[in-house]
Amino acid sequence: MTVTSTEESHQQRLHWLAEQVLNWSGLPVVHIRPTAFLDTPLFTSLAARSIRENGTLALPFGTGRTSPVAVEDVARVVATVLRDPAPHVGQVYELTGPRSVDMKELAGEFSRALGRPVTYVDVPPERWEAELPKLGMPPHLEQHVAVMGRLHRENRYDRTADGVERVTGVPARTIEAFVAARRDFYLG
């Protein structure tokens, strides 16, 4: 999703509207735009379940690429901006992980982090979306996650940005480092 592509996700539309209101307000603002979070159910609870069950990452992303960012990295950016906001006013920071990977590469990072084979299984989108209500997410979040799945499949998350490192001086963590730090969670 981009900040101006608001027709797909209701959540994205609300984010875009909030940015517009802040811009129109005349207040000094900084926009922080993370891409997909590593901490979402896509890469945490859903991934952990399928890894435990059969050593797979079962997602509907096809051959799409992604560059998810850890919430901790986003928090470091926000904390840095809040400590000294003046130099950041008027800036837009796009936040992604350090590199964009396809799903086989993503599974490889999980494999290395967990010390066991993990392979990617491309799940038909309809079947995957039918499972989302079982996660207990609010309806607007469920709709947003379904859109994220489709947009990943369309390769619309294939991008990287240096916002984390530019603001904090420290690169965004890799998928492998994120998963390794949560090894017990993924392996159960």
Side-chain angles (χ1 to χ4, degrees):
M1 279 174 262
T2 66
V3 77
T4 58
S5 100
T6 60
E7 67 276 359
E8 292 106 347
S9 164
H10 304 301
Q11 180 68 32
Q12 184 66 15
R13 184 177 315 122
L14 293 174
H15 185 115
W16 180 83
L17 285 171
E19 282 194 4
Q20 300 315 301
V21 168
L22 289 168
N23 287 341
W24 298 329
S25 75
L27 292 169
V29 297
V30 179
H31 294 295
I32 297 176
R33 297 180 185 154
T35 188
F37 291 112
L38 273 167
D39 309 66
T40 66
L42 298 172
F43 303 114
T44 58
S45 55
L46 291 173
R49 185 175 62 197
S50 64
I51 288 168
R52 285 185 213 130
E53 288 174 2
N54 54 26
T56 65
L57 284 174
L59 293 166
F61 293 180
T63 58
R65 300 178 70 82
T66 190
S67 57
V69 64
V71 168
E72 292 173 42
D73 290 327
V74 176
R76 282 189 306 110
V77 169
V78 171
T80 300
V81 169
L82 289 174
R83 272 193 298 276
D84 184 18
H88 304 284
V89 170
Q91 297 297 311
V92 175
Y93 295 118
E94 303 284 345
L95 308 181
T96 70
R99 67 188 196 98
S100 184
V101 296
D102 66 24
M103 295 305 103
K104 288 180 182 178
E105 292 169 302
L106 182 93
E109 293 209 27
F110 271 80
S111 293
R112 287 188 298 280
L114 299 176
R116 66 176 280 194
V118 176
T119 57
Y120 172 64
V121 173
D122 186 27
V123 178
E126 305 78 30
R127 191 175 99 207
W128 183 78
E129 287 178 25
E131 294 294 314
L132 291 179
K134 297 175 185 175
L135 297 176
M137 295 182 281
H140 80 278
L141 183 56
E142 187 180 311
Q143 188 267 346
H144 181 68
V145 170
V147 169
M148 287 177 65
R150 182 175 53 78
L151 296 180
H152 270 95
R153 190 172 199 84
E154 294 171 4
N155 205 36
R156 290 184 41 199
Y157 280 90
D158 184 13
R159 62 188 175 90
T160 57
D162 65 350
V164 173
E165 185 170 12
R166 198 161 30 102
V167 174
T168 68
V170 178
R173 75 197 61 223
T174 64
I175 296 163
E176 183 176 346
F178 176 87
V179 173
R182 292 154 183 82
R183 192 172 198 277
D184 291 343
F185 169 79
Y186 285 102
L187 296 178

